[in-house]
Amino acid sequence: TFTERVAPLKMVATSNTLPQISPSDISTLSNQGYVIVPNFLSQDVVDELRQDILTLRSNSAFKVAKIGQDSTNELNTEIRIAETCFLGRNRMELTSISSAGGANSVRDRDGGLYDIVLDNLCNSLSELSLQDSQTKLDKSLNELLYAYYPQGGFYRRHRDAVPNSASVLRKYSLLLYLNKKDWDPRVDAGQLRLHLDGGGDECPPGVAPNYVDVDPLGGTLVLFKSELIPHEVLNTNSERFALVGWYNRGVTAGDIGSLGEAGGGGGDIVRLGAMVTAMALVTFGVASIIGQ
């Protein structure tokens, strides 16, 4: 269960009035492992972001989404049917699209998407990360992308943080839905299913299914602990729009060592190199090396 906010928040230019999650939301995330925040964004901003997705798609900025980690990343339409567009400040392939607003797009402008998600929300989660695991979030490794699901799209059960891969850096996952105002969960479907059975990519043998379904209503924000909550996107009957992101901790020597051991013998050079590359990432985040 969750509490409805009284009124949606507007996207504005001053940091003090950007949409924020409350201390209660932070507490729920810490204790429950996930939190659902309806009306995090106002519908007019949701509509503007959805139009941004449509414009970027029409300019060939989206690619068919793949699955897997590091060198195993591949296309598998039995597990995932979707398209993605990686986001981030100063990405020339996006700011060069004038029809999407260029450097003054809904993403890049003051008080825009990047200010809200890459800065404001990250700041709110940083203290929680220190409290929960004594690890700092590294803003330079934040990941952000648009996800577009066509009619019939889906993403079967999976984890965001997989041991012995670069994705282990992920601390908190973000989903922000950008669907139309008249989205009807009974007709349009496409729910997010959060699995709470304690398993990984599958429910543990002998354990009864235990999950929470979240309707992807425009403006709804979902945050969860990346290593804790397997999840999936149920089949959607309509075009489905979302923002997806991950807040990552910094790379440690232990991370590099675990990748080397996982490779066996001398280690998997590709995966080890990917983790080392993660240390130097400034704009594009871990997603640029693992293809998630």
Side-chain angles (χ1 to χ4, degrees), residues 186-260:
R186 296 168 299 177
V187 176
D188 299 311
Q191 284 81 4
L192 168 70
R193 177 163 291 178
L194 301 174
H195 291 279
L196 309 176
D197 50 41
D201 290 340
E202 297 180 356
C203 183
V207 175
N210 180 20
Y211 55 81
V212 172
D213 285 346
V214 182
D215 293 332
L217 301 179
T220 296
L221 170 69
V222 181
L223 296 168
F224 57 89
K225 295 182 180 181
S226 301
E227 81 287 356
L228 186 64
I229 309 288
H231 52 288
E232 64 181 300
V233 176
L234 303 184
N235 292 45
T236 180
N237 297 328
S238 299
E239 289 183 306
R240 183 183 186 274
F241 303 83
L243 180 76
V244 182
W246 298 272
Y247 299 100
N248 301 308
R249 60 173 175 79
V251 183
T252 68
D255 296 321
I256 298 175
S258 67
L259 277 185

Side-chain angles (χ1 to χ4, degrees), residues 20-140:
Q20 300 191 40
I21 51 176
S22 69
S24 175
D25 296 330
I26 292 289
S27 177
T28 298
L29 175 59
S30 176
N31 296 325
Q32 185 174 257
Y34 69 93
V35 64
I36 303 164
V37 185
N39 297 323
F40 180 74
L41 289 182
S42 61
Q43 189 62 46
D44 59 337
V45 173
V46 168
D47 293 342
E48 191 173 7
L49 290 169
R50 186 173 63 258
Q51 182 57 51
D52 189 45
I53 291 177
L54 294 172
T55 301
L56 293 177
R57 284 193 75 237
S58 69
N59 282 272
S60 304
F62 277 71
K63 298 183 182 301
V64 175
K66 298 181 179 181
I67 64 166
Q69 304 293 324
D70 309 330
S71 56
T72 67
N73 190 241
E74 63 181 2
L75 178 66
N76 188 330
T77 55
E78 293 185 359
I79 295 178
R80 187 182 194 183
I81 295 179
E83 299 174 18
T84 56
C85 174
F86 290 106
L87 306 176
R89 289 189 171 96
N90 304 315
R91 296 198 71 156
M92 285 299 297
E93 67 270 33
L94 300 183
T95 57
S96 63
I97 301 176
S98 59
S99 58
N104 194 40
S105 72
V106 65
R107 289 164 275 110
D108 296 273
R109 70 192 184 201
D110 288 344
L113 182 64
Y114 296 149
D115 285 353
I116 292 173
V117 174
L118 294 181
D119 292 336
N120 220 43
L121 275 176
C122 187
N123 291 339
S124 298
L125 294 171
S126 292
E127 185 175 342
L128 176 60
S129 182
L130 285 171
Q131 171 189 312
D132 280 354
S133 57
Q134 291 75 55
T135 57
K136 293 183 178 180
L137 298 182
D138 187 337
K139 281 188 177 182
S140 70

